[in-house]
């Protein structure tokens, strides 16, 4: 029986001129955000899109603070990528941890791995480990950035560069909203951006360790996220504004 071929980093057809134009547009977007807002924060997962934005923040010397949601269930490779990125760019990534009382409440009600039981439990786990910490990380911010792209999933096809985060009352920006997966990897190759080790092992999208798996060639790039749920349940709630 043949072993299924796993997702691999795509080859880009962008010309150097096209990539240079896309890069310049990205840099301009970040500079404009930095000029408009004084307290901008970027939530990085250390995966490919977020590494592109990190590289661009470094190149433009934009005063955007970086943080990551240290959920307590991340792959060791993701934990290690924090230091790799800090060392590469000479910047600080704040680690935002969930409150122990919230984790205890989840475990008491659902069990440590109760998120496998269904959508309600998954949302409760993400709420404790990701959404509440995100809310805390954005206190005092007047804008924040994400690495979301329209191409990533059916729930993101209407994504815009700038949105209003109604839930938190601040501006929200998706500077890579119109980039393709191939664009992302062309930039990473061109600019020698550090690559999360799991991307080299068949993981196009990376979240918490128990909720992320490898993806087969030809599958949707988010098929490995919460794979035990229906295809319309591929969001954790971080990007729901209301």
């Amino acid at each position: 029986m043949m072993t299924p071929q796993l997702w691999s980093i795509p080859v880009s057809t962008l010309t150097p001129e096209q990539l240079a134009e896309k890069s310049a547009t990205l840099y301009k977007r970040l500079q404009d955000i930095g000029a408009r807002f004084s307290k901008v924060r970027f939530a990085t997962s250390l995966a490919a899109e977020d590494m592109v934005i990190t590289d661009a923040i470094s190149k433009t010397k934009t005063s955007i603070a970086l943080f990551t949601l240290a959920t307590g269930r991340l792959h060791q490779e993701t934990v290690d990528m924090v230091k790799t990125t800090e060392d590469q760019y000479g910047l600080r990534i704040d680690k935002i941890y969930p409150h122990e009382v919230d984790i205890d409440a989840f475990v008491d009600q659902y069990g440590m791995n109760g998120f496998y039981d269904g959508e309600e439990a998954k949302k409760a786990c993400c709420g404790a480990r990701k959404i509440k910490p995100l809310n805390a990380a954005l206190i005092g911010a007047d804008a924040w950035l994400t690495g979301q792209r329209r191409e990533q999933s059916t729930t993101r096809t209407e994504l815009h560069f700038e949105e209003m985060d109604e839930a938190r009352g601040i501006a929200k920006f998706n500077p890579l909203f119109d980039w393709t997966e191939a664009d992302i990897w062309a930039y990473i190759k061109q600019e020698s951006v550090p690559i999360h080790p799991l991307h080299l092992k068949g993981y196009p999208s990376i979240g918490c360790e128990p909720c992320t798996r490898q993806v087969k060639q030809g599958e949707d790039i988010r098929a490995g996220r919460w794979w035990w749920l229906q295809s319309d349940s591929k969001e954790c709630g971080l990007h729901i504004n209301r």
Side-chain angles (χ1 to χ4, degrees), residues 115 118-123 126 130 153-156 211 220 222-238 240:
F115 42 80
E119 179 70 16
E120 178 186 339
K122 184 208 84 168
K123 286 182 177 178
C126 290
K130 300 174 77 173
S153 71
T154 56
T155 60
R156 299 179 180 180
C211 303
D220 184 276
R222 286 178 68 80
R225 304 293 296 278
W226 308 290
W227 66 91
W228 64 93
L229 297 172
Q230 297 301 312
S231 60
D232 60 352
S233 303
K234 298 300 183 180
E235 300 286 355
C236 62
L238 290 180
I240 296 175

Side-chain angles (χ1 to χ4, degrees), residues 54 149 175 185 198 209:
T54 299
R149 297 184 294 106
W185 289 103
L198 292 181
E209 188 276 332

Side-chain angles (χ1 to χ4, degrees), residues 186-201:
Y187 183 99
I188 286 173
K189 181 178 180 180
Q190 172 69 31
E191 303 299 329
S192 299
V193 177
I195 298 174
H196 193 302
L198 292 181
H199 286 314
L200 305 176
K201 298 179 180 180

